Amino acid sequence: MSEPLLSVRSVKSFYGHIMALRGVDLDVHQGEIVTLIGANGAGKSTLMMTIFGDPRAREGRIAFRGRDITHLPTHEIAQLRIAQSPEGRRIFPRMTVRENLQMGALASNEVHFQDDLERICAYFPLLKQRLDQRGGTLSGGEQQMLAIARALMSRPQLLLLDEPSLGLAPLVVKRIFDVIRALNMDGMTIFLVEQNAFHALRLAHRAYVMVNGTITMSGTGKELLARPEIKAAYLEGGRH
Amino acid sequence: MEYFVQQLINGITLGSIYGLIAIGYTMVFGIIGMVNFAHGDVFMLSAFIALILLLALTQMLGITPLALALFIVLILAMLLTSLWAWAIERLAYRPLRGSFRLAPLISAIGMSIFLSNLVQVTQGPRNKPVPEILNGVFTFGDPEGYTVTLSYKQILIVAVTAVLLAAFWYVVQRTSIGRAQRACEQDRKMAALLGVNVNRTISLTFVMGAALAAVAGLLFMIYYGVVHFNDGFVPGVKAFTAAVLGGIGSLPGAVLGGLLIGLIEVLWSGYFSNDYKDVATFSILVITLVFLPSGLLGRPEVEKV
Ligand SMILES: Nc1ncnc2c1ncn2[C@@H]1O[C@H](COP(=O)(O)OP(=O)(O)O)[C@@H](O)[C@H]1O
Ligand SMILES: [Mg+2]
């Protein structure tokens, strides 16, 4: 198999003295949708942020396109065409939608701004009508779309999405998952963290399960969907 | 009526200076949530820098016309003062970021004492006179009765302030540098995730605040005709009051607050008593903090995400 786009090897990271990641191994290959599922507090968001160096991995190695990024400052990692829509969306509330997108375009060349805006708004037609509205006035679903769009503005090769469906109505969730699928069809590699395991496993090529800061299971989405222990732990309970 | 108009003119002039200083407080507070107690002393330092530059240019190098000399002084004073502010942030504040909350505040108080002592030791404890420049006035009204005077200095102060505030507003609102600053103010972690160099943006914020304080320092020195090593304290607290009154973190608030404090101070001493004018402004600080903690144009805490 070719070299992975993202590789995480024996990564440990800490909040103070508390170990949140206890040696994580994981790969994302070009063109894949890889999902990471796990209960609340398992360490999924910590992994997403550790990839960006905040908190920084104290042990192990993280490589993007073969380059060791374990010790790079966060803003330099962001400039390597790896983008994240983080947990909680983190839209700049007192900036307009356009300015939020301009912030996303920082790592790419702002010269492409208008082209990229058109291209990305094709996935999110709603945003197009909201360009001059403040981020803080958008609905939860619109904010999530903006967070993804903002991440896309940097022309990333790898898109990290942390719980994009959290707190959204079922119809909006479906819309978001449709967009994720469409993005992948168009060539985007996606690393998706989800508590909504059912949706995520159906969408993903491959999946990992995290428990207490370590990966306990991995396989294709279909394989994991069929496993009884996954059903018991994440599907029946998780879907409500 | 003429008397009132005269007070209005004086108040706006003074308020411009306070507004320029207040922006430094409000921006730094907005981006790292810290009251930079040394900012008033950076302002005082800049007045000395401007005075030394002015003397060097006009008396040693003999640069004329005066407008050219003043322009060079303005630019150099902005640069040198910014350099100081950059170094202060680098040495005294940045290492303490991520430490306990009061640490940078205490460091700032130390910096404030250091700067005023430094100027006292190197420039002497007495008032430093400023060469008489720009002494012309326009006089309006009935020559027999009350008149209103508008001095060249006042015109210079208001004009320079207006131009610089406009330029500054443009940078913050319309350029990618300003956008990065606002992003850091709203969510530093997210800004870093998007590729903003947060440390550099914070440095830049100190530098911009100091550059405006240097403009204020030059104007203050010209307006009052003397500078003193302790001049950072009272104007500093007044500008801080202006920032709080306008709503700390808000740029238009800092300017509005500055103008209001200038007007209140001048009207108070014009109509009541010159002795208590400082008490009047400090009372406003207390009243604002108690009854209107988010200020006139500030946003209430709840809106923060
Ligand atoms: N900023 C933080 N400081 C301290 N502990 C944290 C912080 N963020 C998360 N944690 C802890 O780290 C563990 C993993 O959290 P997180 O990565 O957010 O889990 P998940 O995203 O899987 O729900 C949890 O026990 C959580 O309480
Ligand atoms: Mg999480």
Side-chain angles (χ1 to χ4, degrees), chain A residues 101-116:
Chain A
L101 293 171
Q102 283 172 323
M103 287 307 300
L106 203 74
S108 73
N109 196 332
E110 272 194 58
V111 176
H112 312 132
F113 184 75
Q114 205 54 40
D115 288 352
D116 290 359

Side-chain angles (χ1 to χ4, degrees), chain B residues 13-26 39 43 74 157-158 160-166 168 208-220 239 242 254-255 258-259:
Chain B
T13 311
L14 193 57
S16 301
I17 293 176
Y18 292 154
L20 286 170
I21 309 173
I23 284 179
Y25 281 111
T26 223
H39 188 59
F43 155 78
L74 178 71
I157 288 170
V158 174
V160 169
T161 302
V163 168
L164 278 162
L165 285 182
F168 175 78
M208 283 167 72
L212 290 181
V215 179
L218 169 68
L219 297 175
F220 178 89
V255 179
L259 288 174

Side-chain angles (χ1 to χ4, degrees), chain A residues 54 79 90 94 99 102, chain B residues 179 182 186-187 189 195:
Chain A
D54 178 20
Q79 285 159 2
R90 307 191 89 139
R94 295 181 297 284
E99 286 175 322
Q102 283 172 323
Chain B
R179 222 165 24 240
R182 286 181 291 136
Q186 293 176 33
D187 188 341
K189 221 178 185 125

Side-chain angles (χ1 to χ4, degrees), chain B residues 40-68:
Chain B
D41 296 278
V42 168
F43 155 78
M44 174 275 300
L45 181 74
S46 78
F48 273 88
I49 290 175
L51 174 58
I52 294 168
L53 286 169
L54 183 70
L55 293 175
L57 288 182
T58 53
Q59 299 185 359
M60 287 164 64
L61 300 176
I63 289 179
T64 51
L66 183 64
L68 176 68

Side-chain angles (χ1 to χ4, degrees), chain B residues 87-144:
Chain B
I88 291 170
E89 193 272 333
R90 221 34 240 272
L91 296 174
Y93 303 157
R94 190 184 296 181
L96 296 172
R97 217 178 286 150
S99 173
F100 64 106
R101 259 187 83 82
L102 278 180
L105 213 66
I106 293 165
S107 187
I109 293 171
M111 234 342 128
S112 160
I113 296 169
F114 167 75
L115 288 175
S116 65
N117 285 353
L118 178 77
V119 172
Q120 181 182 10
V121 168
T122 57
Q123 302 300 316
R126 273 184 276 278
N127 275 335
K128 287 270 166 196
V130 175
E132 298 271 310
I133 48 171
L134 287 175
N135 281 330
V137 293
F138 293 107
T139 307
F140 304 96
D142 178 7
E144 310 288 296

Side-chain angles (χ1 to χ4, degrees), chain A residues 15 20 39-47 87 162-163 195:
Chain A
Y15 294 109
N40 205 352
K44 305 180 299 294
S45 300
T46 303
L47 176 61
E87 179 167 48
D162 194 345
E163 303 217 35
Q195 277 202 59

Side-chain angles (χ1 to χ4, degrees), chain A residues 49 52 54 74-75 78-79 82 84 86 89-95 99-100 102-104 106-107 110 134 150-151, chain B residues 173-174 176 178-198 299 303-305:
Chain A
M49 291 305 291
F52 273 81
D54 178 20
T74 301
H75 67 272
Q79 285 159 2
I82 168 170
Q84 175 166 187
R89 298 163 193 135
R90 307 191 89 139
I91 294 305
F92 299 112
R94 295 181 297 284
M95 284 194 188
E99 286 175 322
N100 269 279
Q102 283 172 323
M103 287 307 300
L106 203 74
E110 272 194 58
R134 282 168 148 224
R150 179 178 62 184
Chain B
Q173 293 298 324
R174 292 278 177 270
S176 58
R179 222 165 24 240
Q181 280 180 311
R182 286 181 291 136
C184 287
E185 186 222 310
Q186 293 176 33
D187 188 341
R188 242 197 276 172
K189 221 178 185 125
M190 188 66 227
L193 286 183
L194 294 171
V196 174
N197 185 339
V198 173
R299 57 205 134 73
E303 207 198 301
K304 258 198 171 153
V305 197

Side-chain angles (χ1 to χ4, degrees), chain B residues 1-38:
Chain B
M1 181 62 201
E2 283 85 356
Y3 186 67
F4 180 72
V5 171
Q6 183 68 63
Q7 301 306 320
L8 224 51
I9 292 173
N10 297 347
I12 288 171
T13 311
L14 193 57
S16 301
I17 293 176
Y18 292 154
L20 286 170
I21 309 173
I23 284 179
Y25 281 111
T26 223
M27 279 184 86
V28 165
F29 186 86
I31 204 161
I32 52 173
M34 165 196 154
V35 178
N36 179 12
F37 274 113

